[in-house]
Amino acid sequence: MAKEKTLDDLFLDTLKDIYYAERKISKALPKMERAAQSPDLKAAFAKHREETEMQIERLQQVFEILGKPARGKTCDAIEGIIAEGEEIMDEFKGTPALDAGLISAAQAVEHYEITRYGTLKRWATVLGMNDAAKLLDQTLQEESKTDGDLTKLADSQANEMAKAA
């Protein structure tokens, strides 16, 4: 008979998912930074790459709190989102719409991360893991801020540049 799964199991499984995702994102961001045409967008991707490294370290701390090794589990969602971003880089390379496309791809990543971190924070709270909840909330706040910053870049330059062509 199969072991009954609990919220603890679901928390660990989702933690492995976002750990894998963050590591994939840290590899994708330099490509996006190189592809970006706007110096402001390049800087935003560079900043987010640094934040992502810190977020990976926080996730490792959460694994330590659980007494589990920091291991990822293939995240099909992030694989698909990153593949879409690579498709945008290929199809819109050298066009005025590239930066708008890169921002849309980056925001798809941010929105995925925001959902995962929001859920993990809630579950950590329910499970009485207050230290883990604080670490997850710190990352959730960063992801939300990055999403807002990307919106500002899109509104202040990328979307108009793409449209003007």
Side-chain angles (χ1 to χ4, degrees), residues 29 39-49 146 149-150 153:
L29 281 165
D40 291 341
L41 186 54
K42 285 181 181 291
F45 287 144
K47 179 182 178 223
H48 193 56
R49 186 172 31 88
T146 298
D149 291 346
L150 288 167
L153 274 175

Side-chain angles (χ1 to χ4, degrees), residues 6-160:
T6 66
L7 188 58
D8 286 298
D9 299 313
L10 194 55
F11 180 84
L12 179 60
D13 194 61
T14 305
L15 189 66
K16 289 177 178 181
D17 176 276
I18 195 66
Y19 184 68
Y20 176 92
E22 289 289 14
R23 292 175 54 138
K24 287 297 274 194
I25 293 161
S26 74
K27 290 183 178 104
L29 281 165
K31 293 176 195 167
M32 294 175 80
E33 182 183 344
R34 283 190 301 274
Q37 298 172 117
S38 154
D40 291 341
L41 186 54
K42 285 181 181 291
F45 287 144
K47 179 182 178 223
H48 193 56
R49 186 172 31 88
E50 290 170 16
E51 282 180 350
T52 300
E53 294 306 319
M54 292 301 301
Q55 292 163 356
I56 289 168
E57 287 178 26
R58 276 190 220 115
L59 288 171
Q60 291 167 343
Q61 290 174 38
V62 175
F63 278 108
E64 284 176 29
I65 289 168
L66 296 174
K68 303 285 184 185
R71 284 207 187 100
K73 169 189 163 193
T74 301
C75 172
D76 293 330
I78 209 66
E79 291 284 351
I81 292 169
I82 288 173
E84 285 179 3
E86 289 173 351
E87 193 175 298
I88 287 169
M89 284 187 274
D90 289 343
E91 290 183 19
F92 291 87
K93 183 178 183 174
T95 73
L98 176 62
D99 282 359
L102 286 171
I103 290 170
S104 75
Q107 285 190 298
V109 169
E110 292 309 311
H111 293 182
Y112 180 77
E113 291 174 308
I114 288 166
T115 12
R116 283 293 182 232
Y117 283 110
T119 298
L120 284 166
K121 176 191 163 190
R122 291 296 319 136
W123 288 345
T125 302
V126 168
L127 294 168
M129 293 187 259
N130 295 331
D131 290 341
K134 285 178 189 161
L135 291 166
L136 295 163
D137 184 58
Q138 195 174 350
T139 299
L140 176 60
Q141 298 311 313
E142 287 174 357
E143 300 296 6
S144 294
K145 182 177 181 332
T146 298
D147 182 49
D149 291 346
L150 288 167
T151 296
K152 286 177 192 160
L153 274 175
D155 289 345
S156 69
Q157 41 182 273
N159 291 343
E160 286 301 316

